[in-house]
Amino acid sequence: MATRRKKISSLPIGRFIGPPLTIVLFLVVGYLAMTGRLPFLNGASDQAATTEAGLLPGTEGGLQLTSSGDPAAKPIETLTVATFNIQVFGVKKAEDLEVMRYLALILRQFDVIAVQEIRSLERAPVDQLLELINSTGEQYKVILSERLGRTDSKEQYAYFWDSRRIQFVEGSSYLVNDSADFMHREPFVASFHALQAGVPGAKPFSFTMINVHTDPDETEQELNVLDDVFQSVRAYEFSEDDFILAGDLNVEIDKLGELGQIQSVESVNREQTNTAGSRSIDHLLIDRTATTEFRGAGVINYERDLKLPRELADRISDHRPVWAVFDSSEHAPQGVIAALPETVSR
């Protein structure tokens, strides 16, 4: 995390260069600050995001505007998981080809992406986006949930994944049972594993994802239900030890309620996740004692990294994607020590 420089408020400039030059100097400094040319006056969160973005394999120095379509371009030792609310995605957004191309570019940076807020009545916009993702030689696939919600404005969840690096576990997707209607949209669960471990002879990293989009008007109740969801999915998927709850939770990290009180479970991102750079409401939560494969996390600020005008960035989404990097080889949870079976003397 970048540190904010101390503000010096009592430097006696006028004593050395005189009042007229002081006025000119302040005007120049004010102009530079307003135009963003004094980086130490920018928000600390954006400086930190710049630092963290360099950790994302394949995006050093910003997102690349082209893709080779070569899976070897991504490091075999790690894989990258992301969550991204693509804001009211449907026919209208699919007709904006400029936005669609940028969405495809952003999504193909990751190996598995949990997507929220698909509003289309038809599947065609999702298939169009998938086609654009794969237009540079990639082989991504997608799975959709049912349309969910209590009102006419229903949404779907989706998972996109790079099938050359990631295997979706057939039959593993389901909606969490919410017969008491505690949540506006039931979480969507699916399991994946790396196709190849980065360490020779090791088991490829496997994990189960829980895709969530809370209702902004019901966050207190839903966050206090999501702890039970997380625990119930862990109990149901008893053979798995790595779980990632991903999505737009509509609350800051200190407002996660009972979900944030599960022992060792935490949101791995600390950066601003809305396009305006003012809130951090999108999360990837893991159990840090169980998922020891975790390597680092951050946010893609596509407005900055792709040098986009704000108007275009807002058309893409009002959210930024949150990512986390994991080793592609399975690790033992903390406290588990590998050992040979005991021998018994006869």
Side-chain angles (χ1 to χ4, degrees):
M1 178 73 69
T3 57
R4 190 186 297 273
R5 296 188 182 184
K6 292 182 179 179
K7 185 177 179 181
I8 301 174
S9 57
S10 59
L11 185 66
I13 299 175
R15 181 182 303 175
F16 300 106
I17 60 177
L21 289 179
T22 300
I23 293 172
V24 173
L25 178 60
F26 280 127
L27 288 174
V28 171
V29 171
Y31 170 76
L32 292 174
M34 290 173 61
T35 56
R37 298 180 186 179
L38 291 178
F40 59 84
L41 294 181
N42 291 340
S45 61
D46 280 343
Q47 293 182 35
T50 302
T51 302
E52 295 291 343
L55 295 175
L56 180 57
T59 62
E60 291 79 1
L63 293 177
Q64 302 301 309
L65 294 178
T66 60
S67 174
S68 66
D70 181 5
K74 294 181 178 180
I76 190 175
E77 296 82 12
T78 59
L79 59 85
T80 308
V81 173
T83 180
F84 193 14
N85 179 325
I86 58 176
Q87 191 192 15
V88 193
F89 183 81
V91 173
K92 183 177 180 180
K93 183 166 282 190
E95 290 173 349
D96 190 334
L97 295 183
E98 185 177 30
V99 164
M100 290 288 280
R101 290 190 188 101
Y102 279 115
L103 277 174
L105 169 63
I106 293 166
L107 291 176
R108 73 168 69 100
Q109 305 302 314
F110 312 111
D111 293 307
V112 184
I113 315 100
V115 169
Q116 303 87 43
E117 209 164 302
I118 296 172
R119 295 271 184 89
S120 177
L121 293 171
E122 307 168 1
R123 184 186 169 96
V126 176
D127 290 336
Q128 182 181 343
L129 179 57
L130 181 65
E131 183 178 353
L132 282 171
I133 293 172
N134 290 333
S135 63
T136 52
E138 278 76 7
Q139 296 177 26
Y140 279 76
K141 294 183 179 180
V142 65
I143 185 171
L144 290 165
S145 72
E146 301 171 18
R147 298 183 67 242
L148 303 167
R150 303 187 186 110
T151 67
D152 291 337
S153 180
K154 299 186 186 301
E155 298 180 9
Q156 288 175 287
Y157 297 112
Y159 290 104
F160 290 82
W161 71 94
D162 185 345
S163 66
R164 300 166 307 174
R165 289 170 49 85
I166 299 291
Q167 175 71 54
F168 164 66
V169 179
E170 291 295 334
S172 69
S173 63
Y174 59 91
L175 291 171
V176 171
N177 183 14
D178 182 23
S179 57
D181 197 29
F182 288 124
M183 300 195 67
H184 191 83
R185 291 171 285 268
E186 303 96 311
F188 184 42
V189 180
S191 297
F192 303 88
H193 65 78
L195 283 176
Q196 186 174 356
V199 177
K203 181 181 177 182
F205 177 50
S206 65
F207 53 98
T208 293
M209 297 190 69
I210 307 169
N211 197 346
V212 181
H213 184 197
T214 64
D215 186 322
D217 297 322
E218 301 179 19
T219 54
E220 184 175 356
Q221 171 175 300
E222 294 195 355
L223 268 295
N224 291 339
V225 169
L226 282 173
D227 68 313
D228 297 316
V229 169
F230 191 90
Q231 301 282 37
S232 296
V233 172
R234 281 210 291 196
Y236 182 69
E237 308 282 350
F238 61 89
S239 62
E240 180 57 73
D241 63 351
D242 298 306
F243 296 85
I244 305 170
L245 191 147
D248 173 9
L249 301 186
N250 278 302
V251 295
E252 302 279 346
I253 194 168
D254 60 344
K255 303 292 185 183
L256 289 173
E258 292 179 15
L259 175 63
Q261 296 171 19
I262 302 175
Q263 185 174 2
S264 303
V265 172
E266 63 180 73
S267 176
V268 297
N269 170 57
R270 297 294 184 273
E271 313 305 334
Q272 305 304 314
T273 68
N274 64 335
T275 308
S278 60
R279 302 184 68 196
S280 183
I281 57 177
D282 303 88
H283 300 270
L284 292 169
L285 289 99
I286 63 172
D287 184 333
R288 292 296 298 272
T289 62
T291 305
T292 54
E293 296 86 355
F294 174 69
R295 292 271 296 272
V299 171
I300 291 294
N301 182 343
Y302 47 84
E303 179 183 0
R304 179 199 63 216
D305 295 341
L306 297 173
K307 298 178 174 59
L308 302 181
R310 179 60 184 274
E311 178 273 335
L312 175 54
D314 287 338
R315 278 161 46 207
I316 293 171
S317 179
D318 56 351
H319 293 255
R320 298 168 178 170
V322 178
W323 54 265
V325 174
F326 301 87
D327 286 335
S328 59
S329 305
E330 277 283 356
H331 296 187
Q334 287 182 13
V336 177
I337 302 175
L340 293 173
E342 293 183 3
T343 57
V344 179
S345 302
R346 292 181 181 270

